[in-house]
């Protein structure tokens, strides 16, 4: 029973669905997952072939790594966008509340989640920025007021965006 519970939580988290994962939702999610898998399988075959060709043309390994990593990232982002759009079109991510107190409670929960997401985004971007090549020392990068303010603004925008996205999913039944 625990495996099914973990599987259900994982599916709901990855696809952004809410409520009970019934047969209809599971069928639609499996359909989206199958299409995503086929896209990734074809992409993997094509990208492996292209990397092999590039190696036979004596392209530097550094350039191959950069191109392959960037392409993988772009394909992953496109696939995630497809999944989000498909789930949204099928309305699998909507949350229905029946009264005003539940609606306000849900909005408060969304605000808290958006704040946590913004804080997490700030720390992740700060950590990643430490690895960027620069002529200044690591300590100067950590305490740089300019970088901290810029990334704080980015985190604030990200948190607001997350709140708007989550708020769009909720509606009140009348």
């Amino acid at each position: 029973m625990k495996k099914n519970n973990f599987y259900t939580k994982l599916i709901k988290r990855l696809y952004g669905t809410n409520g009970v994962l019934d047969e209809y939702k599971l069928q639609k999610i499996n359909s989206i997952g199958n299409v995503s898998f086929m896209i990734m399988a074809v992409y993997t075959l094509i990208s492996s072939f292209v990397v092999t060709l590039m190696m036979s043309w004596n392209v530097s390994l550094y350039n191959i790594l950069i191109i392959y990593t960037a392409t993988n990232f772009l394909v992953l982002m496109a696939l995630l966008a497809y999944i989000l759009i498909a789930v949204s079109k099928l309305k699998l991510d909507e949350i229905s509340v029946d009264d005003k107190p539940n609606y306000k409670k849900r909005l408060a929960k969304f605000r808290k989640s958006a704040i946590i997401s913004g804080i997490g985004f700030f720390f992740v971007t700060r950590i990643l920025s430490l690895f960027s090549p620069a002529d200044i020392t690591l300590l100067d990068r950590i305490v740089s007021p300019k970088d901290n303010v810029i990334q704080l603004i980015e985190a604030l925008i990200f948190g607001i965006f997350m709140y708007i996205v989550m708020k769009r999913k909720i509606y009140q039944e009348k």
Side-chain angles (χ1 to χ4, degrees), residues 48-68:
S48 297
F49 177 72
V50 169
V51 166
T52 304
L53 277 177
M54 290 171 70
M55 290 178 80
S56 70
W57 293 335
N58 292 327
V59 177
S60 77
L61 292 178
Y62 178 77
N63 289 340
I64 292 173
L65 177 67
I66 296 297
I67 292 168
Y68 192 60

Side-chain angles (χ1 to χ4, degrees), residues 3-40:
K3 287 183 183 177
N4 190 19
N5 218 357
F6 175 74
Y7 172 76
T8 303
K9 287 179 183 178
L10 183 65
I11 291 297
K12 287 171 74 172
R13 175 63 103 188
L14 289 175
Y15 286 90
T17 62
N18 298 294
V20 178
L21 194 60
D22 57 6
E23 291 293 323
Y24 171 76
K25 283 184 181 179
L26 196 56
Q27 179 186 14
K28 294 301 180 184
I29 286 172
N30 284 337
S31 174
I32 294 167
N34 289 342
V35 171
S36 300
F37 174 77
M38 288 186 283
I39 290 169
M40 285 305 292

Side-chain angles (χ1 to χ4, degrees), residues 92-108:
L92 299 176
D93 58 348
E94 287 187 345
I95 303 170
S96 130
V97 289
D98 50 358
D99 58 356
K100 197 149 185 93
N102 284 341
Y103 181 77
K104 289 189 182 229
K105 238 189 250 184
R106 187 63 77 144
L107 286 180

Side-chain angles (χ1 to χ4, degrees), residues 114 155-168:
L156 181 66
I157 291 170
F158 180 78
I160 291 169
F161 177 74
M162 290 302 295
Y163 177 71
I164 291 170
V165 167
M166 288 185 268
K167 189 176 177 185
R168 278 190 54 225

